[in-house]
C-alpha cells in the first residue's frame, strides 16, 4: 500500500510560517532542523498523535519556480492546501478571535462546508468539514 508521508506548502518565511501553523492553527512541530546558511527544514503535523505518518513541510517559497507559482495560485484565489476540521463554525470563530483573516466565511460547497483563510506567509488555506 502506498500512503502520503509528506506534502509541502511553499511559504515566504519558514520561521513565521512555523509560528502560524503551530501557535495559531494548532499543529505540532514534527521536525525542525537548521541546515545552515539561514535554511530551516520544518515539518508540522496534526497534534496529539493523530496522523503520525503524515507531515506538512513548510517549504521555502523563493526561487524562479516556487515564487511565480505561489503568487499565481494566491492571486487566482486558490487554496494551496485543504485541512479537514470536525466543526468548521467553531474553528472559524476561534481563528477569527486570534486575528486570522478569512477570504470567505464558512459556506456550503457540494459535500462540504468550507472557509478560506490567509496563512500570513503567502497562501490561502481551505478548511473543510464534511456535511452530514
Amino acid at each position: 500500500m502506498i500512503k502520503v508521508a509528506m506534502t509541502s506548502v511553499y511559504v515566504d518565511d519558514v520561521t513565521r510560517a512555523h509560528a502560524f501553523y503551530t501557535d495559531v492553527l494548532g499543529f505540532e512541530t514534527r521536525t525542525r532542523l537548521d541546515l545552515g546558511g539561514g535554511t530551516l527544514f520544518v515539518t508540522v503535523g496534526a497534534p496529539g498523535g493523530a496522523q503520525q505518518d503524515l507531515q506538512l513541510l513548510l517549504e521555502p517559497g523563493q526561487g524562479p519556480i516556487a515564487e511565480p507559482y505561489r503568487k499565481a495560485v494566491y492571486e487566482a484565489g486558490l487554496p494551496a492546501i485543504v485541512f479537514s476540521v470536525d466543526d468548521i463554525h467553531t474553528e472559524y470563530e476561534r481563528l477569527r478571535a486570534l486575528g486570522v483573516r478569512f477570504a470567505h466565511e464558512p459556506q456550503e460547497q457540494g459535500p462540504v462546508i468550507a472557509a478560506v483563510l490567509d496563512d500570513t506567509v503567502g497562501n490561502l488555506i481551505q478548511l473543510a468539514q464534511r456535511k452530514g
Side-chain angles (χ1 to χ4, degrees):
M1 169 176 35
I2 297 175
K3 299 186 321 183
V4 176
M6 184 182 300
T7 189
S8 63
V9 62
Y10 289 120
V11 298
D12 58 20
D13 184 306
V14 173
T15 300
R16 278 189 19 242
H18 186 217
F20 182 83
Y21 280 70
T22 55
D23 298 342
V24 178
L25 295 184
F27 287 99
E28 66 183 19
T29 303
R30 298 278 175 82
T31 307
R32 187 181 189 288
L33 299 172
D34 185 340
L35 302 177
T39 303
L40 293 174
F41 181 88
V42 177
T43 68
V44 297
Q51 295 181 306
Q52 280 297 308
D53 59 345
L54 180 58
Q55 299 181 74
L56 177 64
L57 172 62
L58 303 175
E59 184 84 50
Q62 297 75 21
I65 296 172
E67 202 164 322
Y69 168 79
R70 190 170 45 91
K71 183 178 178 183
V73 169
Y74 187 92
E75 288 177 357
L78 300 172
I81 196 163
V82 179
F83 298 133
S84 65
V85 295
D86 294 328
D87 183 336
I88 195 160
H89 297 290
T90 298
E91 205 56 44
Y92 172 76
E93 292 302 329
R94 181 186 78 81
L95 293 171
R96 279 198 45 203
L98 292 172
V100 173
R101 186 183 74 77
F102 278 80
H104 76 71
E105 62 189 36
Q107 58 188 344
E108 291 192 17
Q109 294 181 348
V112 300
I113 303 169
V116 175
L117 64 92
D118 187 314
D119 76 352
T120 74
V121 286
N123 301 291
L124 295 175
I125 303 296
Q126 184 175 48
L127 302 179
Q129 174 190 340
R130 287 206 174 274
K131 292 192 295 188

